[in-house]
Short mmCIF file of all heavy atoms in Angstrom, two decimals:
data_model
loop_
_atom_site.label_atom_id
_atom_site.label_comp_id
_atom_site.label_asym_id
_atom_site.label_seq_id
_atom_site.Cartn_x
_atom_site.Cartn_y
_atom_site.Cartn_z
N ILE A 88 -18.27 0.95 2.74
CA ILE A 88 -18.09 0.78 1.31
C ILE A 88 -17.90 -0.74 1.02
O ILE A 88 -18.38 -1.34 0.11
CB ILE A 88 -16.87 1.64 0.78
CG1 ILE A 88 -17.35 3.09 0.78
CG2 ILE A 88 -16.52 1.13 -0.59
CD1 ILE A 88 -16.24 4.03 0.38
N HIS A 89 -17.03 -1.38 1.87
CA HIS A 89 -16.59 -2.76 1.64
C HIS A 89 -17.35 -3.76 2.53
O HIS A 89 -16.99 -4.97 2.50
CB HIS A 89 -15.09 -2.89 1.87
CG HIS A 89 -14.31 -2.03 1.00
ND1 HIS A 89 -14.25 -2.11 -0.40
CD2 HIS A 89 -13.40 -0.97 1.28
CE1 HIS A 89 -13.40 -1.23 -0.93
NE2 HIS A 89 -12.92 -0.48 0.06
N GLY A 90 -18.38 -3.34 3.25
CA GLY A 90 -19.17 -4.28 4.02
C GLY A 90 -18.45 -4.96 5.17
O GLY A 90 -18.66 -6.13 5.41
N LYS A 91 -17.52 -4.24 5.85
CA LYS A 91 -16.74 -4.83 6.87
C LYS A 91 -17.32 -4.28 8.26
O LYS A 91 -18.16 -3.41 8.25
CB LYS A 91 -15.22 -4.31 6.85
CG LYS A 91 -14.49 -4.94 5.63
CD LYS A 91 -14.29 -6.50 5.84
CE LYS A 91 -13.25 -7.02 4.88
NZ LYS A 91 -11.91 -6.96 5.45
N ALA A 92 -16.91 -4.92 9.39
CA ALA A 92 -17.29 -4.50 10.66
C ALA A 92 -16.17 -4.35 11.60
O ALA A 92 -16.19 -4.89 12.75
CB ALA A 92 -18.40 -5.50 11.18
N ILE A 93 -15.08 -3.67 11.14
CA ILE A 93 -13.94 -3.49 11.98
C ILE A 93 -14.22 -2.41 13.04
O ILE A 93 -14.75 -1.33 12.73
CB ILE A 93 -12.71 -3.05 11.13
CG1 ILE A 93 -12.40 -4.23 10.12
CG2 ILE A 93 -11.49 -2.77 11.98
CD1 ILE A 93 -11.41 -3.83 9.05
N LYS A 94 -13.93 -2.73 14.30
CA LYS A 94 -14.33 -1.88 15.39
C LYS A 94 -13.36 -0.91 15.85
O LYS A 94 -13.61 0.27 16.31
CB LYS A 94 -14.71 -2.70 16.60
CG LYS A 94 -15.95 -3.58 16.34
CD LYS A 94 -16.25 -4.47 17.59
CE LYS A 94 -17.52 -5.40 17.35
NZ LYS A 94 -17.77 -6.26 18.37
N ARG A 95 -12.03 -1.22 15.79
CA ARG A 95 -11.01 -0.29 16.30
C ARG A 95 -9.66 -0.52 15.66
O ARG A 95 -9.46 -1.56 14.89
CB ARG A 95 -10.86 -0.38 17.77
CG ARG A 95 -10.30 -1.70 18.24
CD ARG A 95 -10.29 -1.74 19.81
NE ARG A 95 -9.59 -2.96 20.25
CZ ARG A 95 -8.26 -3.04 20.60
NH1 ARG A 95 -7.55 -1.98 20.38
NH2 ARG A 95 -7.76 -4.19 20.99
N ILE A 96 -8.75 0.41 15.93
CA ILE A 96 -7.39 0.30 15.51
C ILE A 96 -6.50 0.01 16.71
O ILE A 96 -6.58 0.70 17.70
CB ILE A 96 -6.93 1.65 14.81
CG1 ILE A 96 -7.92 1.99 13.66
CG2 ILE A 96 -5.51 1.53 14.22
CD1 ILE A 96 -7.70 3.46 13.20
N SER A 97 -5.54 -0.94 16.61
CA SER A 97 -4.77 -1.32 17.81
C SER A 97 -3.80 -0.16 18.11
O SER A 97 -3.49 0.59 17.30
CB SER A 97 -4.03 -2.58 17.51
OG SER A 97 -2.99 -2.40 16.54
N THR A 98 -3.32 -0.25 19.34
CA THR A 98 -2.34 0.79 19.84
C THR A 98 -1.05 0.78 19.03
O THR A 98 -0.55 1.79 18.60
CB THR A 98 -2.06 0.53 21.34
OG1 THR A 98 -3.26 0.77 21.99
CG2 THR A 98 -1.03 1.60 21.86
N PRO A 99 -0.49 -0.40 18.76
CA PRO A 99 0.80 -0.39 17.90
C PRO A 99 0.54 0.17 16.55
O PRO A 99 1.40 0.84 16.01
CB PRO A 99 1.11 -1.93 17.82
CG PRO A 99 0.56 -2.52 19.06
CD PRO A 99 -0.72 -1.79 19.33
N ALA A 100 -0.62 -0.08 15.93
CA ALA A 100 -0.96 0.48 14.60
C ALA A 100 -1.03 2.01 14.68
O ALA A 100 -0.53 2.72 13.85
CB ALA A 100 -2.26 -0.12 14.08
N ILE A 101 -1.68 2.50 15.74
CA ILE A 101 -1.75 4.00 15.93
C ILE A 101 -0.40 4.57 16.14
O ILE A 101 -0.06 5.57 15.57
CB ILE A 101 -2.66 4.24 17.11
CG1 ILE A 101 -4.14 4.04 16.78
CG2 ILE A 101 -2.54 5.73 17.57
CD1 ILE A 101 -5.17 4.21 17.89
N ASN A 102 0.43 3.89 16.90
CA ASN A 102 1.82 4.39 17.16
C ASN A 102 2.60 4.48 15.86
O ASN A 102 3.35 5.46 15.61
CB ASN A 102 2.51 3.46 18.15
CG ASN A 102 2.00 3.59 19.57
OD1 ASN A 102 1.37 4.56 19.88
ND2 ASN A 102 2.26 2.54 20.34
N MET A 103 2.37 3.51 15.00
CA MET A 103 3.09 3.50 13.72
C MET A 103 2.59 4.65 12.82
O MET A 103 3.43 5.36 12.20
CB MET A 103 2.87 2.19 12.98
CG MET A 103 3.55 0.94 13.62
SD MET A 103 3.03 -0.64 13.00
CE MET A 103 3.56 -0.55 11.30
N MET A 104 1.24 4.92 12.89
CA MET A 104 0.74 6.05 12.04
C MET A 104 1.20 7.39 12.63
O MET A 104 1.47 8.26 11.88
CB MET A 104 -0.78 5.93 12.06
CG MET A 104 -1.30 4.84 11.16
SD MET A 104 -3.08 4.89 10.86
CE MET A 104 -3.71 4.46 12.46
N MET A 105 1.30 7.51 13.94
CA MET A 105 1.80 8.73 14.52
C MET A 105 3.22 9.03 14.31
O MET A 105 3.68 10.15 14.25
CB MET A 105 1.54 8.68 16.11
CG MET A 105 0.06 8.51 16.48
SD MET A 105 -1.00 9.87 15.86
CE MET A 105 -0.74 11.12 17.15
N ALA A 106 3.98 7.94 14.22
CA ALA A 106 5.51 8.07 13.95
C ALA A 106 5.83 8.36 12.43
O ALA A 106 6.88 8.90 12.21
CB ALA A 106 6.22 6.80 14.43
N TYR A 107 4.97 8.02 11.51
CA TYR A 107 5.16 8.13 10.14
C TYR A 107 5.11 9.58 9.73
O TYR A 107 4.39 10.38 10.26
CB TYR A 107 4.15 7.27 9.38
CG TYR A 107 4.37 7.16 7.86
CD1 TYR A 107 5.59 6.74 7.37
CD2 TYR A 107 3.36 7.48 7.00
CE1 TYR A 107 5.81 6.67 5.96
CE2 TYR A 107 3.57 7.45 5.63
CZ TYR A 107 4.74 6.95 5.10
OH TYR A 107 4.96 6.86 3.77
N HIS A 108 5.84 9.98 8.65
CA HIS A 108 5.89 11.35 8.27
C HIS A 108 4.93 11.74 7.18
O HIS A 108 4.74 12.93 6.91
CB HIS A 108 7.32 11.69 7.80
CG HIS A 108 7.77 10.84 6.56
ND1 HIS A 108 8.04 9.49 6.64
CD2 HIS A 108 7.93 11.23 5.29
CE1 HIS A 108 8.44 9.09 5.40
NE2 HIS A 108 8.37 10.15 4.58
N TRP A 109 4.15 10.85 6.58
CA TRP A 109 3.02 11.09 5.66
C TRP A 109 3.40 12.10 4.57
O TRP A 109 2.79 13.17 4.50
CB TRP A 109 1.79 11.61 6.43
CG TRP A 109 1.32 10.58 7.46
CD1 TRP A 109 1.40 10.65 8.79
CD2 TRP A 109 0.63 9.34 7.19
NE1 TRP A 109 0.88 9.50 9.41
CE2 TRP A 109 0.40 8.67 8.40
CE3 TRP A 109 0.23 8.73 5.97
CZ2 TRP A 109 -0.26 7.48 8.52
CZ3 TRP A 109 -0.38 7.44 6.10
CH2 TRP A 109 -0.61 6.87 7.32
N PRO A 110 4.26 11.72 3.66
CA PRO A 110 4.58 12.59 2.53
C PRO A 110 3.36 12.86 1.67
O PRO A 110 3.32 13.90 1.01
CB PRO A 110 5.73 11.88 1.83
CG PRO A 110 5.61 10.49 2.20
CD PRO A 110 5.06 10.50 3.64
N GLY A 111 2.42 11.84 1.57
CA GLY A 111 1.27 12.03 0.71
C GLY A 111 0.13 12.61 1.46
O GLY A 111 -1.05 12.70 0.88
N ASN A 112 0.32 12.99 2.77
CA ASN A 112 -0.69 13.73 3.50
C ASN A 112 -1.97 12.97 3.75
O ASN A 112 -1.94 11.74 3.81
CB ASN A 112 -0.94 15.08 2.94
CG ASN A 112 0.33 15.98 3.11
OD1 ASN A 112 0.67 16.33 4.25
ND2 ASN A 112 0.97 16.27 1.98
N VAL A 113 -3.14 13.64 3.76
CA VAL A 113 -4.38 12.95 4.09
C VAL A 113 -4.81 11.95 3.07
O VAL A 113 -5.36 10.89 3.33
CB VAL A 113 -5.55 14.05 4.28
CG1 VAL A 113 -6.80 13.34 4.57
CG2 VAL A 113 -5.22 15.05 5.35
N ARG A 114 -4.45 12.22 1.78
CA ARG A 114 -4.71 11.24 0.75
C ARG A 114 -4.03 9.92 1.00
O ARG A 114 -4.61 8.83 0.81
CB ARG A 114 -4.37 11.86 -0.65
CG ARG A 114 -4.80 10.94 -1.79
CD ARG A 114 -4.33 11.55 -3.13
NE ARG A 114 -5.02 12.77 -3.42
CZ ARG A 114 -4.39 13.90 -3.64
NH1 ARG A 114 -3.09 14.02 -3.64
NH2 ARG A 114 -5.04 15.01 -3.93
N GLU A 115 -2.74 10.01 1.40
CA GLU A 115 -2.03 8.81 1.69
C GLU A 115 -2.61 8.02 2.86
O GLU A 115 -2.69 6.79 2.94
CB GLU A 115 -0.57 9.10 1.97
CG GLU A 115 0.29 7.91 2.19
CD GLU A 115 1.79 8.20 2.47
OE1 GLU A 115 2.08 9.41 2.60
OE2 GLU A 115 2.61 7.23 2.55
N LEU A 116 -3.03 8.78 3.93
CA LEU A 116 -3.70 8.17 5.09
C LEU A 116 -4.94 7.51 4.72
O LEU A 116 -5.31 6.38 5.15
CB LEU A 116 -3.96 9.25 6.16
CG LEU A 116 -4.71 8.73 7.37
CD1 LEU A 116 -3.94 7.62 8.10
CD2 LEU A 116 -4.99 9.90 8.39
N GLU A 117 -5.73 8.10 3.80
CA GLU A 117 -7.02 7.50 3.33
C GLU A 117 -6.73 6.20 2.65
O GLU A 117 -7.34 5.14 2.88
CB GLU A 117 -7.78 8.46 2.47
CG GLU A 117 -9.07 7.89 1.96
CD GLU A 117 -9.96 8.83 1.12
OE1 GLU A 117 -9.42 9.97 0.91
OE2 GLU A 117 -11.03 8.46 0.84
N ASN A 118 -5.73 6.19 1.73
CA ASN A 118 -5.36 5.00 0.93
C ASN A 118 -4.86 3.91 1.97
O ASN A 118 -5.20 2.71 1.74
CB ASN A 118 -4.31 5.33 -0.04
CG ASN A 118 -4.81 6.19 -1.11
OD1 ASN A 118 -6.05 6.29 -1.34
ND2 ASN A 118 -3.91 6.86 -1.81
N CYS A 119 -4.12 4.29 2.94
CA CYS A 119 -3.55 3.44 3.94
C CYS A 119 -4.63 2.70 4.70
O CYS A 119 -4.68 1.46 4.90
CB CYS A 119 -2.66 4.15 4.91
SG CYS A 119 -2.20 3.31 6.44
N MET A 120 -5.74 3.56 5.09
CA MET A 120 -6.85 2.96 5.89
C MET A 120 -7.74 2.03 5.00
O MET A 120 -8.21 1.01 5.49
CB MET A 120 -7.67 4.04 6.52
CG MET A 120 -6.99 4.81 7.63
SD MET A 120 -6.48 3.65 8.93
CE MET A 120 -8.08 2.89 9.43
N GLU A 121 -7.84 2.36 3.76
CA GLU A 121 -8.66 1.47 2.89
C GLU A 121 -7.93 0.11 2.69
O GLU A 121 -8.59 -0.91 2.75
CB GLU A 121 -8.90 2.13 1.50
CG GLU A 121 -9.75 1.23 0.59
CD GLU A 121 -10.12 1.93 -0.76
OE1 GLU A 121 -9.49 2.89 -1.05
OE2 GLU A 121 -11.07 1.48 -1.42
N ARG A 122 -6.66 0.19 2.49
CA ARG A 122 -5.84 -1.06 2.40
C ARG A 122 -5.99 -1.89 3.72
O ARG A 122 -6.23 -3.12 3.65
CB ARG A 122 -4.41 -0.75 2.13
CG ARG A 122 -3.47 -1.97 2.09
CD ARG A 122 -2.06 -1.48 2.06
NE ARG A 122 -1.13 -2.56 1.79
CZ ARG A 122 -0.71 -3.52 2.62
NH1 ARG A 122 -1.06 -3.43 3.87
NH2 ARG A 122 0.13 -4.43 2.24
#
């Protein structure tokens, strides 16, 4: 959508996402990834 070429998500970023409780569920994760 935004014409980017990002290849991967770093391990610390994944750890942060795994530790978070996601009150907004999948919609919040989608917004988080777009940001």
Side-chain angles (χ1 to χ4, degrees):
I88 290 175
H89 298 299
K91 292 292 196 85
I93 298 168
K94 295 178 180 177
R95 69 183 185 90
I96 307 168
S97 72
T98 299
I101 287 177
N102 290 341
M103 291 168 66
M104 288 192 287
M105 298 300 275
Y107 187 55
H108 60 290
W109 299 108
N112 293 294
V113 179
R114 186 182 294 124
E115 184 182 6
L116 175 59
E117 181 174 5
N118 294 340
C119 166
M120 287 306 300
E121 183 174 17
R122 178 189 190 278

